[in-house]
């Protein structure tokens, strides 16, 4: 039976916390600072045991506290691999934005050429 997302998050949180050399209390304090609410060490313990669900804001704050992408806490990919995937997706998005911007520039240039030609025609026809 495959691991549930909740169980995977719990396991990956524990693994990344230990890899970072942090205690459950320490992670709770870091999450608390980021969220402005109290997440104590017992809450982190319950999360790691799968006894407490995690809100999205808490999951994001936990990833930030551990210095890993959120994807690293919900998959078995190494943090570097998860970050690489995020960066590739961001690059594709920016490439799309750049292509759209380039198309708009070309349209604007064509419109400018058309306007300049019309101005020249009107001036040649005796307009001011």
């Amino acid at each position: 039976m495959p691991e549930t997302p909740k169980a995977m998050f719990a396991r990956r949180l524990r693994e990344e916390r230990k890899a970072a050399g942090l205690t459950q209390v320490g992670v709770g304090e870091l999450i608390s600072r980021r969220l402005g609410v109290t997440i104590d060490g017992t809450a982190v313990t319950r999360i790691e045991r799968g006894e407490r669900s995690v809100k999205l804001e808490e999951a994001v704050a936990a990833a930030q506290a551990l210095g890993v992408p959120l994807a690293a806490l919900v998959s078995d990919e190494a943090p570097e691999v998860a970050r690489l995937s995020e960066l590739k997706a961001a690059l594709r998005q920016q490439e799309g934005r750049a292509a759209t911007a380039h198309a708009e520039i070309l349209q604007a240039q064509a419109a400018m050429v058309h306007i300049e030609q019309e101005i020249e025609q009107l001036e040649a026809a005796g307009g001011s």
Side-chain angles (χ1 to χ4, degrees):
M1 179 175 200
E3 190 174 35
T4 66
K6 181 178 179 179
M8 182 173 289
F9 183 89
R11 178 177 56 81
R12 294 292 298 135
L13 176 66
R14 183 176 47 259
E15 291 170 356
E16 291 297 333
R17 175 184 59 76
K18 288 180 178 182
L22 293 169
T23 64
Q24 292 166 330
V25 170
V27 170
E29 289 172 356
L30 291 171
I31 294 171
S32 296
R33 276 190 232 137
R34 283 173 168 71
L35 296 179
V37 298
T38 302
I39 303 291
D40 60 19
T42 59
V44 176
T45 300
R46 291 192 332 266
I47 292 168
E48 288 184 359
R49 289 182 183 162
E51 298 168 357
R52 179 184 181 281
S53 294
V54 179
K55 296 178 184 174
L56 179 58
E57 295 81 7
E58 294 170 341
V60 171
Q64 291 170 341
L66 295 169
V68 299
L70 179 57
L73 297 180
V74 292
S75 80
D76 279 325
E77 290 182 329
E80 298 81 17
V81 173
R83 180 65 178 149
L84 182 60
S85 295
E86 287 178 357
L87 288 172
K88 286 181 178 180
L91 179 61
R92 284 190 301 275
Q93 181 183 24
Q94 294 306 319
E95 288 170 341
R97 290 183 65 207
T100 299
H102 181 68
E104 289 181 13
I105 288 170
L106 293 176
Q107 286 178 333
Q109 289 173 335
M112 289 169 41
V113 167
H114 178 74
I115 292 168
E116 289 171 344
Q117 288 172 344
E118 192 171 340
I119 289 171
E120 288 174 8
Q121 288 173 353
L122 290 172
E123 287 179 342
S128 302

